[in-house]
Amino acid sequence: MAKGPGLYTEIGKKARDLLYKDYQSDHKFTITTYSPTGVAITSSAVKKGDLFLADVNTQLKNKNVTTDIKVDTSSNLFTTITVDEPCPGLKTILSFKVPDQRSGKLELQYLHDYAGVSSSVGLTANPIVNFSGVVGTNVVALGTDVSFDTKEGNFTKCNAGLSFTNADLIAALTLNDKGETLNASYYHSVRPLTSTAVGGEISHSFSTNENTITAGTQHSLDPFTTVKARVNNFGKVSALIQHEWRPKSLFTISGEVDTKAIDKTAKFGLALALKP
């Protein structure tokens, strides 16, 4: 297990990845190339119905500084500068988007054996300030995630979470949407040699008194091929197969069927990621 409790975003992440990661109904193509100097250029294209989106991302690394520059089809320029460990345990991230003048943000992350802290502030006159913190160990961790809008003078986000981790089981409990939604999730590694795992999530909305239950599993057919499946209490069944035909180059086919509306067309998604 990793040392320390990690950041707040890691609470329940294993279960979320099992249940939702790589499932999609779009067609996506990604290719990454490297220049002789080590610059990584990633081109992505996504087809969502009749809408076609594309972007090009360039990543430059110089010692502990990583710069990502991305341009999309809407003529937006995204820039992220990450300084890894200017001092032990600290990471600094500066990001902004052109032409959006209010998009600038500075984030600091700090990891300790018994704590994980992330704080960000918008680079505007009346910024949104975000703070998340986790205390504990790599077995039990308790954390909170809040955002405050200095312009409106109120909290835009207020979440709390608790996680428990042992050798083969990870359980998490989170309270989100200012106390409106309660989520409980678990991830159980059944057989590490074949990456076989099961997981589930229960989400309860206090405002509507409605529950959403999702269960899923994954299994590796061989060292290069993984299958996943999930189902929820609304009758939606999803499955995918992912094949790594060369290192870090993945081909994924996913689909979803609504068993309560068989007359509707099933959703299918394709994703191809190529890396040299």
Side-chain angles (χ1 to χ4, degrees):
M1 291 185 291
K3 192 175 182 180
L7 298 175
Y8 184 84
T9 52
E10 296 174 31
I11 294 180
K13 185 178 185 299
K14 272 285 190 178
R16 290 195 303 271
D17 286 349
L18 173 67
L19 297 174
Y20 305 111
K21 187 179 180 181
D22 296 322
Y23 287 99
Q24 62 177 7
S25 57
D26 307 317
H27 297 164
K28 184 175 182 179
F29 175 77
T30 304
I31 182 170
T32 301
T33 58
Y34 295 90
S35 72
T37 58
V39 177
I41 301 175
T42 302
S43 302
S44 300
V46 181
K47 187 177 183 297
K48 297 184 177 183
D50 296 329
L51 187 63
F52 181 82
L53 304 172
D55 61 68
V56 177
N57 184 86
T58 302
Q59 185 180 84
L60 306 92
K61 290 186 177 182
N62 182 16
K63 296 182 180 179
N64 65 332
V65 180
T66 302
T67 303
D68 290 276
I69 302 173
K70 183 172 71 173
V71 180
D72 64 15
T73 49
S74 300
S75 299
N76 293 312
L77 176 65
F78 302 84
T79 302
T80 303
I81 302 172
T82 303
V83 182
D84 194 19
E85 293 207 336
C87 62
L90 182 66
K91 179 184 289 188
T92 304
I93 303 171
L94 172 66
S95 61
F96 57 89
K97 181 176 71 173
V98 178
D100 187 356
Q101 298 179 357
R102 292 182 53 86
S103 62
K105 184 174 71 172
L106 178 63
E107 180 178 359
L108 297 176
Q109 296 179 359
Y110 177 71
L111 292 175
H112 185 269
D113 291 349
Y114 301 103
V117 177
S118 176
S119 180
S120 66
V121 58
L123 302 180
T124 61
N126 299 291
I128 293 178
V129 181
N130 180 265
F131 173 84
S132 65
V134 180
V135 295
T137 66
N138 58 351
V139 177
V140 179
L142 175 66
T144 186
D145 181 24
V146 297
S147 289
F148 183 77
D149 189 335
T150 59
K151 182 178 181 180
E152 301 295 332
N154 57 34
F155 286 94
T156 59
K157 180 172 64 174
C158 188
N159 304 327
L162 173 68
S163 70
F164 171 79
T165 304
N166 67 9
D168 59 357
L169 178 68
I170 302 174
L173 185 68
T174 58
L175 187 64
N176 304 317
D177 304 323
K178 299 180 183 180
E180 286 294 322
T181 307
L182 181 66
N183 282 47
S185 65
Y186 80 97
Y187 171 93
H188 181 207
S189 177
V190 179
R191 191 176 181 186
L193 289 177
T194 58
S195 299
T196 304
V198 296
E201 180 185 63
I202 300 176
S203 179
H204 176 76
S205 174
F206 292 104
S207 58
T208 63
N209 201 32
E210 185 177 78
N211 294 318
T212 301
I213 304 173
T214 306
T217 184
Q218 72 175 23
H219 175 73
S220 292
L221 301 176
D222 57 53
F224 309 103
T225 308
T226 301
V227 292
K228 295 173 66 175
R230 72 180 183 196
V231 62
N232 65 20
N233 60 319
F234 296 108
K236 292 186 177 181
V237 180
S238 304
L240 70 80
I241 180 168
Q242 185 176 79
H243 180 67
E244 186 178 19
W245 55 281
R246 60 178 296 173
K248 297 182 180 180
S249 292
L250 304 172
F251 178 64
T252 308
I253 301 176
S254 59
E256 181 181 273
V257 176
D258 189 345
T259 59
K260 295 185 178 180
I262 299 298
D263 54 316
K264 292 184 178 180
T265 304
K267 297 179 181 179
F268 289 98
L270 298 172
L272 179 61
L274 303 177
K275 287 190 176 183

